[in-house]
C-alpha cells in the first residue's frame, strides 16, 4: 500500500480538494517563509554576521490519500 502527500503554500489548494481521494498535503506557510528569507537576506546585505536560522512550523493536513 502506498500513500501520497503533496505540498501547499496556502491553507487550502483547489487541487488537493478536487482529487479523489482528496490529497494529503503539508502546509508550508509561504508568506512567513518569504518574510523570514527576506529578513535574513537584508541582514546579510547590511553586514550582519550572526546566524539567522528560522524555523517555520508546518502542518500535515491528512486527507484521503493517507487514511
Amino acid at each position: 500500500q502506498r500513500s501520497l502527500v503533496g505540498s501547499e503554500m496556502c491553507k487550502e489548494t483547489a487541487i488537493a480538494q478536487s482529487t479523489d481521494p482528496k490529497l494529503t498535503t503539508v502546509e508550508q506557510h509561504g508568506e512567513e517563509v518569504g518574510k523570514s528569507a527576506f529578513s535574513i537576506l537584508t541582514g546579510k546585505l547590511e553586514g550582519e554576521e550572526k546566524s539567522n536560522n528560522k524555523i517555520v512550523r508546518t502542518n500535515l493536513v491528512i486527507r484521503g490519500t493517507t487514511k
Side-chain angles (χ1 to χ4, degrees), residues 21-64:
K22 291 183 178 14
L23 180 63
T24 294
T25 56
V26 177
E27 288 180 351
Q28 297 183 35
H29 309 288
E31 186 174 340
E32 185 178 350
V33 170
K35 286 179 180 178
S36 295
F38 182 77
S39 176
I40 291 168
L41 177 61
T42 55
K44 295 288 184 189
L45 292 173
E46 293 172 355
E48 287 183 16
E49 294 185 22
K50 67 177 183 171
S51 177
N52 290 315
N53 294 331
K54 169 76 174 162
I55 296 174
V56 177
R57 300 282 180 207
T58 59
N59 183 39
L60 180 63
V61 180
I62 297 174
R63 297 188 180 100

